[in-house]
Amino acid sequence: MENQILGLHHITAIAGDAKRNFNFYSKILGLRFIKKTVNFDDPGTYHFYFGDEVGSAGTILTFFPWGEGIQQGRKGSGMATEIGYSVPKGSLDFWQKRFDEHNVIYNKPSERFGEKHLPFLDPDGLKLELIESKTEDTRKAWETDEIKADVATKGFHNVTLTLKNIKATAAILTEIFGYKLIEQEVNRYRYATDTVETAAIVDLVELEDEKHGHVANGTVHHVAFRVKNDEVLMHFREKVESFGLSITHQIDRQYFHSLYFREPGGVLFELATENPGFTYDESLEELGKNLKLPAQYESDRERIESHLAKID
Ligand code: ZN
């Protein structure tokens, strides 16, 4: 476990209306809303976290809901273009029906790398997929009244990055992160780490003529990879630097500690620690129930709260 990347930690995307985003992910998709806080770099806007019961690394999807009427992003090269969730075998019929009932836009399920997957869009146009993983996923799903464990999402299966040329990004994955190429279908190259059994996959899709994407509403902002602790984090800081890439200093994100760097293909990568986790400032039962602010904004709570839209 030492000095290794342990798969995905979280994925962060941009959304429009906060309430619509909250409803879609917590109610229709049935993820647990684990943290309501603000964007630490822009406390006038929310930062939402969705995950499993405790907010385990590899299950965390986060959003900056910038509000209605913001610029629409454009999917393209140099960005993460699909977020894959693992679901139990045989659950896609349930999800198709559920998407019909809630007017969710989706494509009929198809197969890739021997796994059935159901692609769909969130209300802001972000592309996600539900994937019946061919390897058993033993993670404990978060259940809701309408979505029980036999169909509920279990966390990330993979993330897909679209690139004009995969070579430089593949080198980061294999030479720094310890991933290996495990499968290929046409222009989709599947990389995985064997340090963890789930959230271990990154797909690189090569599209030479694809225009550069634009990060705004309905697109992924960055992809975070998981490390055990601060010591491993700093080990990777040196490794990334020795590759000739610039990387930030360590940033305290309250629930984890982070470093950011842009990989040569254009995707913003983050490295994030498991510590201290989402129960840092709320009990397990209370997760997501209250607006949590980092210490520097606590004195300004009233003003900050008055500017944020009510979501429930
Ligand atoms: Zn992040």
Side-chain angles (χ1 to χ4, degrees):
M1 294 285 271
E2 273 157 47
N3 292 344
Q4 289 178 324
I5 296 290
L6 306 171
L8 296 170
H9 185 284
H10 66 269
I11 297 172
T12 294
I14 315 287
D17 184 67
K19 186 172 179 161
R20 190 176 60 196
N21 177 262
F22 167 77
N23 281 336
F24 184 79
Y25 286 95
S26 65
K27 295 178 181 158
I28 298 176
L29 212 54
L31 307 181
R32 185 173 190 195
F33 187 53
I34 51 169
K35 196 65 68 180
K36 176 163 71 171
T37 183
V38 292
N39 182 342
F40 292 0
D41 303 318
D42 174 17
T45 59
Y46 277 126
H47 192 180
F48 290 165
Y49 290 79
F50 302 90
D52 67 357
E53 182 183 13
V54 295
S56 307
T59 73
I60 310 158
L61 181 59
T62 101
F63 286 93
F64 297 128
W66 284 349
E68 205 55 83
I70 59 163
Q71 195 188 20
Q72 196 60 28
R74 188 186 63 243
K75 285 186 196 75
S77 64
M79 61 164 47
T81 47
E82 290 155 25
I83 297 167
Y85 271 97
S86 163
V87 290
K89 279 215 167 67
S91 66
L92 293 186
D93 287 349
F94 165 87
W95 285 106
Q96 248 181 287
K97 260 182 232 145
R98 188 164 179 82
F99 289 168
D100 280 333
E101 282 161 23
H102 294 275
N103 300 314
V104 176
I105 298 169
Y106 67 90
N107 280 336
K108 286 252 147 51
S110 56
E111 209 165 292
R112 198 171 54 208
F113 298 122
E115 298 175 321
K116 251 172 96 179
H117 73 284
L118 169 63
F120 65 101
L121 300 178
D122 87 352
D124 293 299
L126 183 68
K127 189 176 179 195
L128 300 105
E129 297 171 329
L130 299 177
I131 302 165
E132 293 183 356
S133 177
K134 59 187 168 193
T135 54
E136 203 193 347
D137 190 333
T138 56
R139 289 177 291 182
K140 188 172 169 247
W142 173 251
E143 293 185 296
T144 69
D145 289 345
E146 296 178 4
I147 304 166
K148 298 300 178 195
D150 59 331
V151 292
T153 62
K154 290 171 174 281
F156 296 133
H157 175 279
N158 71 326
V159 66
T160 299
L161 315 182
T162 297
L163 302 153
K164 282 180 183 294
N165 182 307
I166 68 156
K167 206 172 160 199
T169 307
I172 301 292
L173 291 179
T174 55
E175 288 169 44
I176 303 182
F177 287 5
Y179 280 60
K180 291 183 190 84
L181 178 66
I182 56 164
E183 280 177 290
Q184 183 198 344
E185 263 186 20
V186 199
N187 63 338
R188 180 178 287 264
Y189 299 77
R190 172 153 287 189
Y191 289 82
T193 177
D194 55 15
T195 59
V196 284
E197 285 176 359
T198 53
I201 296 169
V202 177
D203 281 354
L204 303 184
V205 168
E206 188 167 79
L207 286 173
E208 198 188 334
D209 297 325
E210 185 78 347
K211 261 203 201 157
H212 216 77
H214 173 64
V215 175
N217 193 24
T219 59
V220 173
H221 187 268
H222 64 266
V223 176
F225 293 86
R226 165 188 172 198
V227 296
K228 188 80 196 155
N229 55 37
D230 293 43
E231 200 187 320
V232 184
L233 189 69
M234 296 322 276
H235 164 80
F236 276 101
R237 188 170 193 280
E238 272 176 34
K239 257 185 131 169
V240 170
E241 273 193 323
S242 73
F243 234 70
L245 297 168
S246 48
I247 182 163
T248 65
H249 59 276
Q250 186 178 319
I251 297 170
D252 183 0
R253 292 299 183 201
Q254 194 93 335
Y255 313 108
F256 44 87
H257 304 143
S258 294
L259 299 169
Y260 299 83
F261 72 100
R262 198 167 291 281
E263 60 82 26
V267 185
L268 185 60
F269 277 0
E270 176 181 351
L271 300 171
T273 60
E274 290 177 2
N275 56 291
F278 290 89
T279 51
Y280 174 76
D281 59 0
E282 260 178 323
S283 69
L284 187 59
E285 297 70 39
E286 287 280 300
L287 284 182
K289 295 222 163 67
N290 309 292
L291 178 70
K292 304 309 289 185
L293 297 174
Q296 67 266 33
Y297 298 133
E298 200 50 69
S299 61
D300 210 13
R301 171 176 284 271
E302 215 171 301
R303 197 186 62 84
I304 289 172
E305 246 180 320
S306 72
H307 284 93
L308 295 170
K310 293 267 172 292
I311 57 162
D312 49 5

